Amino acid sequence: MRAADMHCDTIWEIYKDHKDGGHTSLRSNSLHLDLEKMRKGGYGFQNFAMFVHLGNTERPFECAMEMIDTFYQEMEANSDLIGAVKTYEDIEKNWEEGRMSAMLTLEEGGVCQGNLAYLRDFYRLGVRMMTLTWNFPNELGYPNRIVTEGPEKGCYAETEHGLTERGVEFLEEMERLGMIIDISHLGDAGIWDVFSHTTKPFVASHSNARALASHPRNLTDDMIRCLGERGGVAGVNYCPAFLHDWKDGEKERSLIEDMVRHMRYMANTGGIGCVGLGSDFDGIGGWLEISDAGKLPLLEAGMRRQGFTTSEIEAIFYGNVLRVYKEIL
């Protein structure tokens, strides 16, 4: 089964290793994802996020630029297996040539530092999707609240603070350019602002159903329903905390049965067309039943056991995501 995955942090891991003098390669490595594992797993398409941690980075724009350089170095070194894409036609061409496709994305709108010129420059470099926030407020808006100390330690839905004026301007420019808006990591109020200030489909690249796992990074039923009505897609995240509410002391595990349970719930809530894959490989920990990209056929088998038809599996594995990309890119 061909697969299109909307989110992984693999380039971030390769970039860090190279900065430390290492030689980790996208072709074959010990991470969750590499090209050999992707081929084994039947991948046709992967989004590669340039993740920037604002709390640890004094120069987020430069960090993103360096990571993009790492991305293109890996694309050039492995051009026999994969090619970067900027248009939907690029995806079709790669598949005709027997190559996988890679799309460049940004996971932290703060790398633009509120500057629309930087956004346009990232687009010129091939960025075709961006989360508006990660886990820190920035010039564009607010993520869900994270309390790191004290009795209220935890993550909470941000229902008061949404997008800033500049954030709305970014939405308008992203839609004009043909850059996909990604609401994963954005707070609840900000997500509803995106619905209010856009007209085209957008995505939650790696988010699940909050009704089944209460982590606020997941989507409420109303969000899933509205995302489906808009023609958008949410990519099921393999992270244990986003799949199940684990009790204190329990070993957190990412199980296929929980992934399939979220898929079924999201399809029943927003329609089969709103569900995709968003593994978050190399950005998550814990015990994973789908422990690397090469194990993806196990997920297909699990979906078949739970009654998903071939056409439904094709839609979730790649069809829904590519429909959005064809419309926006």
Side-chain angles (χ1 to χ4, degrees):
M1 180 70 68
R2 179 182 287 172
D5 184 340
M6 285 199 288
H7 188 84
C8 76
D9 289 299
T10 309
I11 296 296
W12 163 246
E13 292 295 332
I14 293 174
Y15 166 75
K16 286 192 300 179
D17 179 70
H18 290 184
K19 292 280 280 187
D20 291 336
H23 303 282
T24 297
S25 166
L26 184 61
R27 182 172 289 260
S28 179
N29 58 52
S30 60
L31 301 171
H32 290 148
L33 186 140
D34 62 33
L35 298 182
E36 293 179 359
K37 298 184 187 88
M38 288 170 64
R39 293 284 265 196
K40 181 180 177 182
Y43 280 64
F45 187 99
Q46 178 67 55
N47 282 5
F48 287 94
M50 308 297 104
F51 163 65
V52 176
H53 191 305
L54 292 185
N56 295 338
T57 309
E58 294 182 1
R59 296 183 292 276
F61 175 79
E62 288 89 339
C63 180
M65 291 291 287
E66 289 178 356
M67 218 175 305
I68 290 172
D69 179 63
T70 299
F71 170 81
Y72 278 115
Q73 286 189 71
E74 292 300 322
M75 291 299 106
E76 292 167 6
N78 298 287
S79 60
D80 58 322
L81 297 181
I82 196 166
V85 299
K86 297 179 180 179
T87 67
Y88 187 79
E89 290 72 24
D90 291 339
I91 301 171
E92 292 181 321
K93 182 180 178 183
N94 280 338
W95 283 351
E96 288 170 2
E97 295 174 351
R99 298 195 302 165
M100 295 178 286
S101 291
M103 193 164 81
L104 183 59
T105 76
L106 294 173
E107 188 179 21
E108 175 51 87
V111 301
C112 295
Q113 299 176 243
N115 190 332
L116 286 167
Y118 286 176
L119 176 72
R120 288 186 286 268
D121 284 339
F122 280 126
Y123 180 85
R124 293 176 184 117
L125 287 171
V127 173
R128 291 297 181 269
M129 180 187 292
M130 184 176 77
T131 65
L132 299 172
T133 67
W134 184 59
N135 290 343
F136 299 95
N138 61 28
E139 297 85 355
L140 310 182
Y142 294 80
N144 290 308
R145 293 185 296 110
I146 299 175
V147 180
T148 57
E149 297 178 353
E152 294 187 359
K153 182 178 179 180
C155 188
Y156 303 91
E158 176 54 80
T159 58
E160 297 180 17
H161 303 290
L163 295 182
T164 65
E165 233 177 274
R166 178 60 75 176
V168 174
E169 293 176 2
F170 265 66
L171 292 182
E172 295 170 350
E173 187 66 357
M174 290 173 74
E175 284 205 319
R176 186 190 72 82
L177 289 169
M179 186 185 289
I180 299 161
I181 297 161
D182 184 356
I183 60 172
S184 284
H185 285 287
L186 190 61
D188 286 18
I191 289 173
W192 290 118
D193 284 342
V194 174
F195 278 109
S196 298
H197 293 283
T198 59
T199 59
K200 297 178 182 179
F202 52 86
V203 305
S205 66
H206 52 305
S207 298
N208 299 340
R210 199 179 298 178
L212 300 185
S214 60
H215 198 293
R217 271 274 286 101
N218 287 339
L219 305 175
T220 66
D221 286 2
D222 284 344
M223 292 171 186
I224 294 169
R225 194 173 297 113
C226 290
L227 188 67
E229 291 171 355
R230 178 63 69 88
V233 179
V236 170
N237 190 320
Y238 303 1
C239 179
F242 300 159
L243 291 170
H244 191 90
D245 284 333
W246 299 97
K247 298 176 182 177
D248 288 343
E250 283 187 316
K251 181 181 179 181
E252 294 193 355
R253 298 176 296 160
S254 171
L255 301 174
I256 291 171
E257 63 184 64
D258 284 332
M259 296 167 66
V260 176
R261 191 164 58 102
H262 278 265
M263 289 174 177
R264 179 63 74 190
Y265 186 89
M266 293 160 74
N268 288 343
T269 304
I272 193 71
C274 79
V275 189
L277 301 179
S279 67
D280 207 0
F281 271 152
D282 295 314
I284 57 176
W287 186 89
L288 310 178
E289 190 169 5
I290 307 295
S291 57
D292 62 55
K295 305 294 196 313
L296 194 58
L298 296 176
L299 179 57
E300 177 188 351
M303 294 173 72
R304 291 191 186 279
R305 286 195 300 271
Q306 294 301 316
F308 278 92
T309 66
T310 296
S311 63
E312 289 173 332
I313 296 172
E314 289 175 344
I316 291 172
F317 262 52
Y318 67 90
N320 296 333
V321 170
L322 295 185
R323 167 181 49 78
V324 173
Y325 291 2
K326 187 173 185 178
E327 180 171 347
I328 302 297
L329 298 184

